[in-house]
């Protein structure tokens, strides 16, 4: 076995011929140390000492500074590996290989690290070491995130999270949540990102993991500055800086400096932004951290572009691009191309700027696209369903136990009252009454279920106890929003406000039912519906546009009636988009049918980018309905988080 594991090390690692081992590593030397220590050749005592020696290697590695002495750390890790191979201890071998992987990851040797983590995972699986498996899954997830493969990163993070929850390992749960938060951030799913980072922060505060608390605070700051909440972002970043300073975490301080610099840049404080980023760069260069160097160089290049110092801007941006391409750091490759596009645009080199922008779009779309969104959403849905299934299974086992107890109780009741015929008749009467109540309750529960879920989904839930999440290739999603809702609602009494909303939404519900469109939910003053769910069809775009026109007509008539009565009224804005979604049930107690995916976000953007009283549709919906309705091309309109998109107003039906 030792030969097998040593061959793995030889294939995956290159050990310096000049390095000095901290301990002798051949099995004879290990045994000699053990014999000398205990003074006798007792096999149990010898094995115990050998295991302590092997553990000492890993303990030495944990206390060794990776930044100050990475070569020494690598030597210790190899000694640990060799010692555990002597003992044929798979758990220890797996642990030491995981350490080796972390060291390769630190050196940005991603593929080598990935191979090591996979070997560590396999060994942990063989011995049933769930904590070791979770550690490997987390590490593999971080590599795939770095390489821009978000679906694969998510798959590994979710596996790690499940195992960490099973073993009640809160520290590693926090690591998994931090990984999930980063994926959500890149997908611009900021609410879920904040929830994941906040969950990680709560766990780390409970455990007192101060270094990770700083990481979580910086991740939250990143979300806030993306949302334009600069005050909150600065606050969280400086809180992280204080922790880094107390811990004397130089690399962490550099990361915090870079983030603070980014926020100053966004606020237009170029001098402060440059000061913080250059300080960060100095530390990163000292540590030879290529991924961090490439990221901060891209930031410095963008600052110089805004300062009109085009020479320095080009110098730092080209360095960022070269480094990020060398280590295949997709996120920084993307940002470097965007920075170079902005630089050449500022210089007036529009042809070069366009070429750089095309490269940026290519890498942007390789990270965030419909296919990745679909895979990520499906995996999250599957994780939630698996989690719910395990809860349901536990609940079912509890019910069975209760039922067995109830059966015993019923036998006792039967034996106690077997001689009393009158009481038996009374029991029969009670039983019939209860059965009738149960039947009525079942009818009522069925009616309630049909009222909150689509009929097909409700029947599947009744039959199977669960409803499977489904990917739908073509669904048309509609959002409506009351324009000036806040201003109008402030002038109405609570009773008048509820009556007004209820009148509008009731009419919308009737329109959806008449047009065969599924109402999904209401969110405050927004109403969401979709065609083509839960049963796929080819008319969903036409059905939804017809429903939108009906809403448009209802709201126009409603406005006339309200105006004539001298009352306030709502006006509506409608947006529609067609594309793929994932559909299914959410919740354990209060079921709700919902849909997810970029199609939903885009439909919302269509509503945001529309005009009062009009129906704004995307190009994909236009292609489906252009022969049945009169559509007016609005040109390319900027959609928040989406860039420029072709949009159309639907104003009337043909004929």
């Amino acid at each position: 076995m030792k030969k097998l594991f040593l061959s793995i090390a030889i294939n995956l690692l290159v050990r310096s011929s000049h390095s000095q081992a901290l301990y002798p590593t051949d099995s004879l030397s290990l045994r000699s140390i053990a014999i000398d220590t205990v003074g006798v050749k007792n096999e149990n005592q010898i094995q115990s000492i050998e295991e302590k020696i092997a553990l000492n290697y890993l303990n030495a590695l944990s206390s060794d500074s990776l930044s100050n002495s990475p070569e020494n750390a690598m030597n210790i890790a190899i000694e640990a590996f060799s010692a555990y191979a002597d003992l044929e201890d798979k758990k220890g071998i797996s642990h030491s290989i995981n350490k080796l992987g972390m060291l390769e990851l630190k050196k940005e040797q991603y593929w080598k690290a990935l191979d090591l983590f996979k070997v560590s995972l396999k060994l942990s699986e063989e011995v049933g070491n769930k904590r070791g498996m979770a550690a490997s899954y987390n590490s593999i997830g971080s590599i795939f995130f770095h390489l821009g493969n978000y679906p694969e990163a998510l798959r590994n993070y979710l596996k790690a999270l499940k195992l960490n929850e099973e073993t009640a390992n809160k520290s590693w749960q926090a690591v998994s949540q931090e990984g999930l938060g980063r994926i959500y951030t890149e997908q611009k799913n900021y609410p879920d990102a904040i929830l994941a980072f906040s969950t990680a922060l709560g766990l780390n505060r409970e455990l007192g993991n101060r270094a990770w608390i700083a990481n979580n605070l910086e991740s939250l700051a990143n979300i806030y500055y993306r949302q334009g909440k600069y005050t909150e972002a600065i606050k969280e970043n400086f809180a992280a800086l204080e922790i880094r300073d107390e811990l004397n975490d130089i690399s962490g301080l550099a990361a915090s400096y870079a983030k603070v610099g980014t926020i100053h840049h966004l606020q237009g404080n170029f001098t402060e932004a440059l000061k913080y980023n250059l300080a960060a760069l100095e530390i990163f260069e000292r540590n030879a951290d290529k991924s961090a160097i490439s990221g901060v160089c891209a930031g410095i290049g963008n600052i110089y572009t805004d300062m009109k110092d085009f020479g320095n801007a080009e110098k730092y941006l080209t360095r960022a691009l070269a480094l990020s391409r060398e280590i295949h750091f997709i996120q920084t490759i993307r940002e470097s191309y965007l920075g170079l596009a902005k630089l050449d645009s500022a210089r007036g080199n529009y042809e070069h700027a366009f070429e750089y922008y095309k490269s940026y779009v290519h890498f942007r779309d390789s990270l965030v696209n419909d296919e990745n969104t679909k895979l990520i959403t499906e995996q999250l849905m599957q994780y939630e369903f698996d989690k719910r299934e395990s809860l349901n299974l536990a609940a079912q086992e509890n019910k069975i136990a209760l039922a067995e107890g109830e059966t015993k109780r019923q036998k006792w009741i039967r034996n106690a009252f077997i001689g009393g015929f009158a009481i038996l008749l009374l029991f029969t009467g009670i039983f019939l009454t209860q059965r009738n109540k149960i039947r009525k309750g079942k009818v009522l529960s069925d009616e309630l279920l049909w009222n909150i879920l689509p009929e097909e989904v409700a029947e599947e839930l009744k039959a199977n106890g669960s409803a499977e999440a489904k990917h739908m290739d073509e669904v048309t999603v509609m959002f409506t929003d009351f324009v000036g809702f806040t201003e109008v609602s402030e002038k109405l009494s609570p009773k008048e406000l509820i009556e007004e909303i209820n009148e509008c939404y009731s009419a919308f519900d009737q329109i959806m039912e008449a047009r065969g469109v599924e109402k999904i939910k209401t969110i405050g003053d927004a109403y969401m519906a979709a065609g083509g769910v839960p049963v796929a069809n080819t008319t969903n775009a036409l059905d939804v546009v017809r429903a939108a026109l009906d809403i448009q007509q209802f709201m126009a008539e409603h406005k006339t009636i309200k105006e004539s009565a001298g009352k306030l009224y709502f006006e509506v804005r409608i947006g529609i988009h067609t594309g793929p979604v994932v559909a299914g049930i959410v919740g354990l107690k209060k079921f709700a049918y919902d849909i997810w995916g970029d199609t939903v976000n885009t439909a919302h953007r269509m509503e945001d980018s529309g005009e009062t009283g009009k129906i704004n549709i995307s190009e994909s919906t236009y292609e489906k309905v252009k022969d049945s309705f009169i559509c007016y091309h609005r040109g390319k309109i900027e959609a928040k988080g989406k860039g420029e998109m072709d949009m159309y107003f639907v104003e009337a039906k043909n004929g």
Side-chain angles (χ1 to χ4, degrees):
M1 181 178 285
K2 182 180 177 184
K3 287 182 179 178
L4 168 64
F5 291 121
L6 284 174
S7 69
I8 294 170
I10 291 166
N11 288 328
L12 298 178
L13 302 166
V14 178
R15 184 177 177 182
S16 169
S17 59
H18 302 293
S19 64
Q20 294 250 327
L22 296 183
Y23 303 99
T25 57
D26 59 272
S27 58
L28 178 61
S29 297
L30 284 173
R31 290 181 62 80
S32 297
I33 294 171
I35 290 167
D36 290 343
T37 303
V38 298
V40 292
K41 295 183 179 181
N42 181 302
E43 286 297 324
N44 290 334
Q45 288 178 304
I46 291 169
Q47 175 118 8
S48 174
I49 297 299
E50 285 180 318
E51 287 172 353
K52 286 180 181 177
I53 293 168
L55 185 59
N56 282 341
Y57 293 128
L58 290 179
N59 289 339
L61 176 61
S62 299
S63 61
D64 198 79
S65 169
L66 301 187
S67 299
N68 296 335
S69 184
E71 184 180 352
N72 193 41
M74 180 64 77
N75 291 335
I76 298 170
I78 295 173
E79 303 297 353
F81 168 83
S82 182
Y84 277 116
D86 282 338
L87 299 169
E88 298 189 3
D89 180 344
K90 284 188 178 181
K91 184 175 179 180
I93 293 166
S94 171
H95 191 183
S96 57
I97 289 177
N98 193 279
K99 291 284 189 181
L100 289 167
M102 296 301 294
L103 289 163
E104 293 294 347
L105 183 58
K106 185 73 178 175
K107 294 194 299 181
E108 296 167 334
Q109 298 295 320
Y110 298 111
W111 298 111
K112 195 178 286 187
L114 183 60
D115 287 339
L116 284 163
F117 290 137
K118 286 180 177 178
V119 172
S120 177
L121 174 62
K122 187 174 186 302
L123 289 168
S124 292
E125 288 174 337
E126 287 177 7
V127 296
N129 180 12
K130 288 187 175 182
R131 289 200 169 196
M133 291 161 60
S136 296
Y137 279 129
N138 265 332
S139 300
I140 292 169
S142 69
I143 290 176
F144 280 118
F145 175 81
H146 176 94
L147 297 173
N149 188 342
Y150 297 148
E152 195 62 23
L154 180 72
R155 187 175 73 83
N156 283 279
Y157 280 136
L158 289 176
K159 284 186 175 182
L161 182 59
K162 184 174 184 294
L163 288 166
N164 288 322
E165 287 174 341
E166 288 175 6
T167 58
N169 190 335
K170 291 184 179 181
S171 181
W172 282 97
Q173 283 179 46
V175 174
S176 301
Q177 290 286 0
E178 175 75 14
L180 292 175
R182 289 176 181 174
I183 294 172
Y184 295 139
T185 300
E186 288 298 318
Q187 297 292 117
K188 295 184 172 60
N189 182 357
Y190 298 141
D192 283 342
I194 289 173
L195 178 60
F197 291 140
S198 298
T199 301
L201 180 61
L203 288 166
N204 284 317
R205 278 179 170 157
E206 182 183 339
L207 298 167
N209 293 339
R210 289 178 60 72
W212 273 99
I213 289 171
N215 285 341
N216 303 147
L217 290 170
E218 287 169 352
S219 296
L220 285 168
N222 184 33
I223 298 292
Y224 293 140
Y225 93 69
R226 284 174 178 239
Q227 293 178 317
K229 300 175 180 177
Y230 301 135
T231 303
E232 292 95 325
I234 287 282
K235 177 185 173 185
E236 301 293 6
N237 257 321
F238 274 109
L241 264 171
E242 285 182 10
I243 295 173
R244 302 287 194 201
D245 192 39
E246 289 170 10
L247 297 175
N248 196 28
D249 178 0
I250 305 302
S251 295
L253 275 171
S256 294
Y257 287 153
K259 289 179 173 65
V260 172
T262 300
I263 297 168
H264 279 302
H265 182 198
L266 290 168
Q267 291 179 302
N269 302 329
F270 301 140
T271 304
E272 286 294 298
L274 202 56
K275 180 180 76 175
Y276 277 104
N277 275 285
L278 288 171
L281 180 60
E282 182 183 349
I283 297 170
F284 290 143
E285 286 180 328
R286 203 158 55 227
N287 294 339
D289 188 339
K290 290 183 180 179
S291 59
I293 292 169
S294 65
V296 80
C297 279
I300 292 170
N302 287 327
I303 295 167
Y304 276 125
T305 297
D306 288 339
M307 295 174 72
K308 310 298 182 188
D309 185 345
F310 299 141
N312 271 322
E314 183 175 18
K315 170 186 166 184
Y316 282 98
L317 285 167
T318 52
R319 185 184 179 194
L321 181 60
L323 269 177
S324 56
R325 289 178 71 89
E326 179 186 334
I327 60 175
H328 199 64
F329 195 175
I330 302 294
Q331 288 93 336
T332 305
I333 294 173
R334 175 191 64 187
E335 297 310 312
S336 299
Y337 276 125
L338 180 60
L340 287 165
K342 290 179 178 177
L343 170 62
D344 274 333
S345 179
R347 285 169 157 175
N349 299 335
Y350 300 116
E351 187 175 342
H352 286 155
F354 182 62
E355 291 303 316
Y356 281 131
Y357 187 76
K358 284 196 297 185
S359 297
Y360 158 73
V361 170
H362 167 74
F363 282 98
R364 180 198 67 188
D365 292 347
S366 73
L367 294 171
V368 183
N369 53 53
D370 286 345
E371 184 63 23
N372 274 1
T373 301
K374 181 184 93 170
L375 289 171
I376 286 171
T377 307
E378 284 178 344
Q379 287 181 51
L380 287 170
M381 287 289 292
Q382 191 61 53
Y383 173 75
E384 290 298 330
F385 274 93
D386 288 345
K387 194 171 182 179
R388 187 189 313 154
E389 190 64 27
S390 65
L391 289 172
N392 287 341
L393 182 61
Q396 188 64 32
E397 289 173 351
N398 188 44
K399 285 180 181 177
I400 291 169
L402 289 172
E404 288 174 351
E406 182 64 17
T407 300
K408 291 177 182 177
R409 193 177 71 84
Q410 291 294 342
K411 285 181 180 178
W412 182 85
I413 292 172
R414 182 194 63 190
N415 293 335
F417 292 95
I418 194 72
F421 183 67
I423 295 175
L424 181 61
L425 287 175
L426 177 63
F427 176 77
T428 303
I430 292 171
F431 170 77
L432 292 172
T433 302
Q434 291 299 322
R435 187 178 65 179
N436 289 335
K437 285 183 179 179
I438 291 168
R439 283 177 178 170
K440 289 178 182 178
K442 185 176 182 301
V443 170
L444 179 60
S445 68
D446 285 349
E447 288 175 352
L448 288 170
L449 199 59
W450 290 329
N451 193 42
I452 61 174
L453 297 176
E455 185 176 346
E456 293 81 0
V457 177
E459 291 302 325
E460 183 182 355
L461 185 64
K462 285 168 57 185
N464 305 327
S466 64
E468 184 183 353
K470 295 179 181 177
H471 175 259
M472 315 290 287
D473 288 321
E474 185 188 305
V475 171
T476 301
V477 181
M478 173 177 69
F479 272 93
T480 76
D481 185 63
F482 291 135
V483 180
F485 177 79
T486 303
E487 292 80 359
V488 174
S489 61
E490 286 174 351
K491 298 173 184 177
L492 296 172
S493 68
K495 183 173 182 293
E496 290 171 331
L497 178 62
I498 294 299
E499 287 176 351
E500 177 68 10
I501 293 173
N502 184 59
E503 185 177 353
C504 293
Y505 281 173
S506 296
F508 293 2
D509 288 347
Q510 291 171 7
I511 290 168
M512 296 308 119
E513 187 172 0
R515 292 297 185 184
V517 177
E518 189 67 38
K519 174 187 176 180
I520 303 299
K521 60 186 172 184
T522 58
I523 313 143
D525 62 320
Y527 185 100
M528 178 182 170
V533 290
V535 178
N537 62 47
T538 57
T539 63
N540 55 82
L542 295 170
D543 297 338
V544 172
V545 171
R546 290 186 182 113
L549 287 164
D550 290 345
I551 288 176
Q552 186 184 56
Q553 182 179 346
F554 166 80
M555 292 302 293
E557 293 171 354
H558 185 69
K559 175 181 177 180
T560 302
I561 293 168
K562 290 288 183 179
E563 277 184 326
S564 63
K567 295 182 177 179
L568 294 170
Y569 54 85
F570 288 127
E571 293 188 276
V572 75
R573 189 171 53 217
I574 304 173
I576 300 172
H577 175 63
T578 303
V581 302
V582 174
I585 295 175
V586 294
L588 292 173
K589 294 183 178 179
K590 297 180 179 179
F591 291 118
Y593 184 73
D594 209 346
I595 57 177
W596 298 266
D598 191 57
T599 297
V600 176
N601 297 331
T602 304
H604 199 189
R605 294 292 169 259
M606 290 301 110
E607 177 268 308
D608 281 342
S609 305
E611 294 180 7
T612 302
K614 294 190 176 182
I615 302 165
N616 189 38
I617 66 173
S618 67
E619 187 171 21
S620 63
T621 304
Y622 167 75
E623 292 297 332
K624 303 285 183 185
V625 305
K626 62 184 179 182
D627 296 330
S628 301
F629 302 96
I630 296 173
C631 304
Y632 296 92
H633 186 214
R634 301 177 62 197
K636 290 190 179 293
I637 308 294
E638 182 72 24
K640 186 178 179 182
K642 296 286 180 183
E644 291 188 342
M645 300 182 69
D646 283 296
M647 300 185 193
Y648 301 79
F649 279 143
V650 180
E651 293 197 355
K653 299 178 183 179
N654 276 331

